[in-house]
Amino acid sequence: PPAPPLPSVMSPSRVAASQLGQQGSDLIVPAGGQRTQTKSGPIILADEIKNPAMEKLELVRKWSLNTYKCTRQIISEKLGRGSRTVDLELEAQIDILRDNKKKYENILRLAQTLSTQLFQMVHTQRQLGDAFADLSLKSLELHEEFGYNADTQKLLAKNGETLLGAINFFIASVNTLVNKTIEDTLMTVKQYESARIEYDAYRTDLEELNLGPRDATTLPKIEQSQHLFQTHKEKYDKMRSDVSIKLKFLEENKVKVLHNQLVLFHNAIAAYFAGNQKQLEQTLKQFHIKLKSPGVDVPSWLEEQ
C-alpha cells in the first residue's frame, strides 16, 4: 500500500522548543506581527581597541632604542671611530658666541663689584657730610671750614648716587642680554646639537645596513631605517635653519644694546670724575633713567601703570 502522506507541520522537539524560547526572549513582536531583534551578541573590534599599557611600552621601547643609538654615536665620535656631520660656518659662529658670553659675564661681574664698592663709598660720604654739618653747628670758630666740607661730601654723595643709577642700568641691560637673550639662543644650539647626533646615529645605522646583504629579511629593515633617517634629517635641517636665524637676530640685537649701554657707561663715568654734575644728570635723562630718591619706596604696579 502507498505510504501515508507526511504532515505539513512537524511538531518541534523539547530541545528545539527550549532554544526557540531562549531566542524569543531577545525578540519583540510589534502590533503588526513582525519580529524585531533588539539584542545581539558581544562584538569585539580587536584592531580599534588600544591598550594603554602596550602604548607606553612601545614608547619606552622607541626611547630606549633611540638613546642607545645616540649613546653609541657619541662614544664612537669621542673614540675617533665614528664620523660626524659638521657645518664649519655655523660651528664657528657658535664658538664665537660661547666665547663672547664668557667675556660678557666677566664684564658683568666687574660692573657689579664696582656698583657695590661705589654704593659703600657713597654711603660713607653721606655719613661724613652729616658729621661735618653737625660739627659746623657746634664749633663756632670752625663753622665755615666744617660747612665747606659738609657741602662737598654731600655733593659727592649726590653725584655718586647718580653714577650708581647709570651703572645699575648698565648692569641690568647686560644681564638681560647675557642671561636671557644669549642663553635662549644657546638653548636652541643644544637642541640643534642633539638633532645632529640623532641624524648621524641613524645615518650610520643605515650605512651599515646598506653594506650588508639584501634579502627578504634585511630589505624591510633597510626600508624602515631609510624612513627613520629621512625623518631625523628633516629635523636636523630645521634645527640648523633655526640656529642660523637666531644667531643673525642675536648679533643685530647685541650690537644695538651694547652700543647704547657702552655710550651710557662712558659718558656717566667721564662726567662723574670730571665733576660735571649737569652733564651727569643729562646723561641719565638721555637714557630715560629715573633715580630712586632716598627714603622713597618703590612705586606699586598700579602707580607705574
Side-chain angles (χ1 to χ4, degrees), residues 159-227:
N159 291 342
E161 290 175 353
T162 306
L163 176 61
L164 191 61
I167 293 177
N168 288 337
F169 186 79
F170 172 83
I171 291 173
S173 299
V174 175
N175 181 68
T176 301
L177 175 65
V178 173
N179 294 320
K180 290 185 179 181
T181 309
I182 294 180
E183 188 63 28
D184 177 71
T185 304
L186 289 177
M187 287 296 297
T188 307
V189 170
K190 291 179 181 179
Q191 296 174 1
Y192 157 74
E193 292 175 345
S194 298
R196 197 277 307 166
I197 293 175
E198 291 180 349
Y199 164 71
D200 282 337
Y202 284 91
R203 175 183 56 80
T204 303
D205 192 31
L206 179 61
E207 290 174 353
E208 291 177 354
L209 289 175
N210 286 328
L211 292 176
R214 291 176 174 267
D215 51 28
T217 304
T218 59
L219 283 178
K221 295 181 179 180
I222 294 175
E223 292 178 359
Q224 183 182 9
S225 180
Q226 179 68 33
H227 173 71

Side-chain angles (χ1 to χ4, degrees), residues 169-170 173-174 257-266 287:
F169 186 79
F170 172 83
S173 299
V174 175
V257 170
L258 288 181
H259 170 76
N260 293 334
Q261 295 306 315
L262 291 174
V263 169
L264 164 69
F265 193 85
H266 171 267
F287 289 88

Side-chain angles (χ1 to χ4, degrees), residues 50-91:
K50 295 182 179 180
N51 191 344
M54 295 300 295
E55 290 182 352
K56 292 181 180 179
L57 185 62
E58 181 65 17
L59 291 176
V60 171
R61 188 189 68 83
K62 291 181 179 180
W63 175 83
S64 301
L65 182 61
N66 185 72
T67 304
Y68 164 74
K69 290 180 180 295
C70 294
T71 304
R72 185 183 64 176
Q73 177 67 24
I74 293 173
I75 294 175
S76 299
E77 291 178 3
K78 289 184 177 181
L79 295 177
R81 298 175 181 175
S83 61
R84 64 186 297 262
T85 304
V86 180
D87 188 329
L88 296 178
E89 182 179 357
L90 190 62
E91 293 289 338

Side-chain angles (χ1 to χ4, degrees), residues 223-238:
E223 292 178 359
Q224 183 182 9
S225 180
Q226 179 68 33
H227 173 71
L228 292 173
F229 164 75
Q230 189 63 31
T231 301
H232 286 87
K233 182 179 184 301
E234 293 174 358
K235 180 181 178 181
Y236 166 72
D237 292 337
K238 180 181 181 302

